[in-house]
Amino acid sequence: MLLLKGFVLAVSASSAAAGPFSYSKAVHTRDVLTTSSGVDCCAALKKQFGIQVTGKSDSGYFASLYTYWALQEAELSPSCLVAPKSAAEVATIVSILSGFDPSQSVSIQNEIKASLVGAAAPPPNSSTGLKCQFAIRGGGHTPWAGAANIQDGVTVDLGSIKNVTVSSDNRIASVGGGATWANVYGALGAMGLSVPGGRVGTVGVGGLALGGGFSFFAPRYGFVCDNVVNYELVTSSANIINVNETSEPLIFKALKGGSNNFGIVTRFDMKTFEQGKHWGGQIVYPDISVAPAMFKAVEAFNSDDYDQYGSLINTYAYIPQYKLWVVTNNMQYTKPITNAPDFNISTGPPTFEPFTAIQPQLPDNSTLRISNMSDFAGELAAVQPLSKRELFATTTVGNSADLMAEIFNIGNATRESIANTSTIAFFVTFQPLPRLIVERSKAAANNSLGLKPEDGNQLLVLLIVTWTGTGEDKQIDDASKDFIAKVNDAAAKRGLKKDFVYLNYAAKWQNPLKSYGTDNINLLKNVSGTHDSLGTFQNLVPGGFKINSASTA
């Protein structure tokens, strides 16, 4: 994350009813798919939902599209947008778009599905004849085109389902599937509570949690998904079910990393904890000569005696306006501070003194302070402007200062290989993934990410590129593939290549689900085949990373 006074660069670290059917475990492919026109699909929705459906002639249509973070997503033009206000409305939308008639008896539904084993798409609804491709939007922060928007289909915008409530004993926060983390921290902070959530306020709860989810609180509580105790899920059969460890343990595990492959989550019930203000903020180092000392400090920080309150985002940013690299550290120490801190705010707690001691710094750009999660998440949201083209690509490596130096050099060479770099901002970010996070994750829940404590202390490597013109799209995409390939090769030569590909940072061309390992891939496929037996979320929802591609190269 990078904020310099005078200019901004964007960096980013989406009532129970009858249970689902279980006749088949086949995951449907998307090889053959004949769908209805978007116009017909929108007409059916308009008849049911009226002004909650907006088309290209409506003023709210483009206003909504312009709120996507990445320009690639905003440029897509769905036939219409529909904004449900409840899980029941989401269920009706799924029924209309998928062609599944929930009024049919269970026996008739089973007969239909039994006749379609291996079919490429669900049957048309007997009354509407529709099979509509659609996208599911939570926060709209994933950068690649088609992740949460769709060309000529229907975009289901969950943004109106954003309530945050807390149980009477303050132990569970129930969060609407369309909420952002700003909504969550705003509601909980006033009560002296928090949940392990996103670091950027404008990021959606749904996409982050379903992709695993990193948090400033991960060293204390594991991944975001590990702290969800119940999901309210709208299935492909338009049922609304509660998914938890008792009611649906296999879906429960699959949703902890399996993304949008199983239905639409309309509510996340999350464990809360008491949380007051804490120390955090950013330092900017204007001279790349600090890099060797920084690499060593990161390696030492990401150790077996990792401080559970510490969280670090270490970024190397090329600023095209000035044709130079700078270094930034976003540091958070989440131990609550009730009175005066027992350390100097400008140097931070002892865990971060190796970073705050490195010079030179830009003192006017330091934001170190004592504050709350709403403020810290808002700060990171403020430095992420809309209407830019964005790319993420990621990999995971072992913890090594020497490897970090090599990765930076690969990043610089990759940047230099891109023509017309005068308007292209380029970022290489390292985020510690210590053994402690995985241990806390295993203790908290059983997710599908495939990480193991024996993987040791790891580093997430994130490449971010920001630019403006469509003419650079292909060469930047190709450059990102080259960067990841060379980083993986460099790590492998040192015996430090790791399998994990973090889904929420993955480029469209990457295959994060494959990195979860064979057992988890099989679990995801079986859950999809059982609980989305007609393949609605494989065939009619093309956005996101699909299970039927998980075992391919």
Side-chain angles (χ1 to χ4, degrees):
M1 314 294 174
L2 176 59
L3 168 63
L4 301 181
K5 292 182 179 177
F7 61 91
V8 176
L9 294 176
V11 188
S12 173
S14 123
S15 37
F21 301 101
S22 58
Y23 85 100
S24 169
K25 296 184 179 180
V27 176
H28 291 260
T29 66
R30 292 184 288 169
D31 295 336
V32 180
L33 181 62
T34 302
T35 57
S36 306
S37 75
V39 173
D40 291 339
C41 299
C42 292
L45 290 170
K46 189 78 172 179
K47 182 178 179 180
Q48 179 75 29
F49 292 101
I51 61 172
Q52 289 171 249
V53 179
T54 55
K56 298 175 185 178
S57 62
D58 299 312
S59 59
Y61 176 89
F62 290 103
S64 177
L65 292 182
Y66 292 155
T67 61
Y68 280 96
W69 179 55
L71 191 56
Q72 297 101 309
E73 278 278 71
E75 287 176 342
L76 295 181
S77 182
S79 295
C80 66
L81 313 172
V82 58
K85 298 178 181 179
S86 66
E89 290 189 350
V90 172
T92 300
I93 290 167
V94 169
S95 174
I96 292 171
L97 298 181
S98 68
F100 190 94
D101 187 351
S103 67
Q104 297 175 17
S105 69
V106 171
S107 62
I108 294 175
Q109 290 173 2
N110 280 336
E111 287 176 10
I112 290 174
K113 288 184 289 185
S115 69
L116 286 165
V117 175
N125 183 289
S126 58
S127 59
T128 66
L130 295 178
K131 293 183 293 182
C132 308
Q133 286 200 311
F134 62 101
I136 306 160
R137 177 181 180 176
H141 203 271
T142 300
W144 50 270
N149 199 9
I150 192 167
Q151 183 65 37
D152 298 327
V154 175
T155 294
V156 181
D157 186 345
L158 301 178
S160 297
I161 306 175
K162 60 183 180 181
N163 285 349
V164 180
T165 60
V166 179
S167 62
S168 58
D169 61 3
N170 285 353
R171 296 177 63 184
I172 301 295
S174 294
V175 180
T180 65
W181 292 106
N183 299 140
V184 175
Y185 296 136
L188 298 185
M191 304 176 67
L193 301 173
S194 193
V195 293
R199 297 167 291 189
V200 179
T202 49
V203 167
V205 170
L208 187 79
L210 293 173
F214 272 80
S215 166
F216 291 142
F217 302 105
R220 292 164 62 187
Y221 299 107
F223 297 101
V224 174
C225 67
D226 298 323
N227 293 273
V228 180
V229 297
N230 183 77
Y231 302 84
E232 182 183 72
L233 181 72
V234 176
T235 70
S236 61
S237 54
N239 284 329
I240 303 171
I241 64 173
N242 282 298
V243 176
N244 51 62
E245 194 170 26
T246 302
S247 69
E248 298 281 1
L250 295 182
I251 315 179
F252 186 62
K253 180 177 179 178
L255 287 169
K256 295 178 181 296
S259 194
N260 67 353
N261 284 286
F262 314 105
I264 301 178
V265 178
T266 51
R267 194 186 73 237
F268 297 81
D269 297 333
M270 302 187 66
K271 292 182 287 188
T272 64
F273 55 89
E274 293 184 358
Q275 179 66 37
K277 293 182 177 181
H278 69 267
W279 177 90
Q282 177 180 267
I283 293 179
V284 178
Y285 309 80
D287 192 332
I288 196 61
S289 65
V290 305
M294 201 68 69
F295 298 146
K296 292 178 181 178
V298 172
E299 180 182 348
F301 176 83
N302 190 23
S303 65
D304 281 341
D305 58 351
Y306 193 96
D307 188 328
Q308 68 170 344
Y309 296 107
S311 183
L312 172 70
I313 304 172
N314 173 236
T315 299
Y316 301 79
Y318 182 80
I319 304 174
Q321 297 97 314
Y322 300 103
K323 298 182 179 179
L324 57 79
W325 286 91
V326 302
V327 184
T328 72
N329 282 323
N330 186 288
M331 299 169 286
Q332 303 287 328
Y333 197 73
T334 65
K335 185 176 183 179
I337 295 173
T338 54
N339 298 306
D342 57 1
F343 53 82
N344 188 300
I345 292 177
S346 64
T347 58
T351 295
F352 285 106
E353 287 179 356
F355 299 99
T356 58
I358 294 175
Q359 297 289 341
Q361 301 175 11
L362 289 179
D364 289 344
N365 285 275
S366 174
T367 65
L368 299 179
R369 64 200 186 280
I370 306 297
S371 194
N372 56 46
M373 266 308 304
S374 286
D375 182 40
F376 288 124
E379 177 185 31
L380 294 181
V383 301
Q384 302 197 24
L386 305 176
S387 301
K388 297 284 187 181
R389 309 187 80 77
E390 306 280 353
L391 177 140
F392 286 3
T394 189
T395 190
T396 306
V397 301
N399 185 41
S400 165
D402 290 340
L403 179 57
M404 290 177 70
E406 188 172 357
I407 291 171
F408 171 76
N409 290 333
I410 292 170
N412 191 39
T414 302
R415 181 198 61 79
E416 291 176 343
S417 72
I418 301 173
N420 302 318
T421 58
S422 60
T423 61
I424 298 173
F426 200 89
F427 307 84
V428 178
T429 293
F430 298 98
Q431 299 180 41
L433 174 52
R435 187 196 315 268
L436 177 63
I437 290 179
V438 181
E439 290 173 343
R440 294 287 163 84
S441 172
K442 292 294 185 184
N446 187 20
N447 63 47
S448 56
L449 300 175
L451 288 161
K452 304 179 292 295
E454 52 265 34
D455 293 329
N457 299 310
Q458 305 175 73
L459 287 167
L460 285 185
V461 180
L462 171 62
L463 172 68
I464 307 148
V465 187
T466 298
W467 70 105
T468 55
T470 58
E472 289 85 23
D473 287 3
K474 186 178 186 306
Q475 67 168 335
I476 289 173
D477 198 52
D478 290 344
S480 71
K481 294 176 183 178
D482 185 60
F483 171 80
I484 294 297
K486 288 179 177 177
V487 169
N488 285 340
D489 184 61
K493 288 178 179 177
R494 296 172 180 268
L496 294 172
K497 173 69 184 78
K498 303 297 182 178
D499 294 331
F500 183 60
V501 177
Y502 179 40
L503 185 145
N504 291 326
Y505 285 169
K508 186 174 185 178
W509 50 265
Q510 294 191 278
N511 197 340
L513 296 178
K514 182 181 178 182
S515 76
Y516 294 1
T518 301
D519 289 345
N520 285 315
I521 291 172
N522 288 337
L523 168 75
L524 299 181
K525 288 183 175 181
N526 287 337
V527 169
S528 176
T530 300
H531 298 284
D532 182 17
S533 55
L534 298 179
T536 297
F537 292 96
Q538 298 302 303
N539 295 303
L540 296 182
V541 181
F545 296 99
K546 301 288 101 171
I547 294 170
N548 55 22
S549 301
S551 59
T552 62

